[in-house]
Amino acid sequence: MRVLVVTAVPAERDAVTRAFGGPAQVREVPGAEVHRAGPFDVLAGGAGPAAAAAAAAFALASAPAADPYGLVVSAGIGGGFSPAAPVGSLVVATGIVAADLGAETPDGFVPVTGLGFGRDSFLPPAALVRDVAAATGALAGPVLTVSTVTGSAARSAVLLAAHPGAVAEAMEGFGVAEAAARIGVPVLEIRAVSNAVGPRDRAAWRIGEALAVLTEAFGKTAPVVEGWTQHDRHDRNRD
């Protein structure tokens, strides 16, 4: 079984492939390059949920019918909600939540589900989340997808009030999950924390450190994913 990993930018893609040493095998798909490393096909699909969804969809659709993808992973760096997910930590999503998909009303924000259509979350396979968290030391919790990165303490508080227990925010997870769901493939999201969610303080960001954490995490995730694929993957329907 093949595993597709979708990152936003090449630096994140290369952090994933670096876990396996040596040059990755590269092939072209519409709009992107897929880098093969270990059990993973990794592509940099662009920033934001729309670009991520398009890249994931093209890659999934281009897979040979005889060898389809059995798992999709949204991966990269992201912001962590303090104090639960400090800079330099790793998180794995128990839920992938579209935190700003909906409508503003006089009474506040209403998610798209409250408007009577669409969906605003996806649940990765719980057993796989547990195993990845155990293998990597990651914190498990909801990861929010936003189209506008949080830049104030007030906005951070609003998000936490709406999504208690959220551990991180990023920009691509929900888009990747949407593409995976359309083809019936389970999804996972893994984020290394490069900065705290809240006021933007670029001097405090630790992008290099977070990319190194991501590399280490994928080295430890590979055997978990391979073991999971060798067992009954239909367990995801019973989680």
Side-chain angles (χ1 to χ4, degrees), residues 62-195:
S62 69
D67 189 21
Y69 289 110
L71 176 69
V72 183
V73 184
S74 177
I77 62 176
F81 285 100
S82 298
V87 172
S89 64
L90 185 76
V91 302
V92 58
T94 56
I96 301 171
V97 182
D100 56 6
L101 180 63
E104 289 291 345
T105 76
D107 297 321
F109 178 77
V110 177
V112 66
T113 51
L115 301 175
F117 56 90
R119 64 184 300 173
D120 63 357
S121 65
F122 292 92
L123 296 177
L128 183 57
V129 170
R130 288 193 299 267
D131 290 348
V132 169
T136 62
L139 173 67
V143 175
L144 309 184
T145 299
V146 294
S147 294
T148 301
V149 173
T150 300
S152 69
R155 178 58 180 165
S156 177
V158 167
L159 288 174
L160 282 176
H163 306 283
V167 295
E169 73 168 22
M171 300 181 73
E172 293 79 34
F174 188 81
V176 173
E178 190 74 79
R182 297 299 176 95
I183 204 168
V185 178
V187 67
L188 193 67
E189 184 169 9
I190 299 173
R191 295 283 168 183
V193 176
S194 59
N195 58 279

Side-chain angles (χ1 to χ4, degrees), residues 77-78 86-89 192-196 201-213:
I77 62 176
V87 172
S89 64
V193 176
S194 59
N195 58 279
D201 179 6
R202 293 295 296 269
W205 291 10
R206 297 293 181 265
I207 292 176
E209 178 182 344
L211 291 173
V213 168

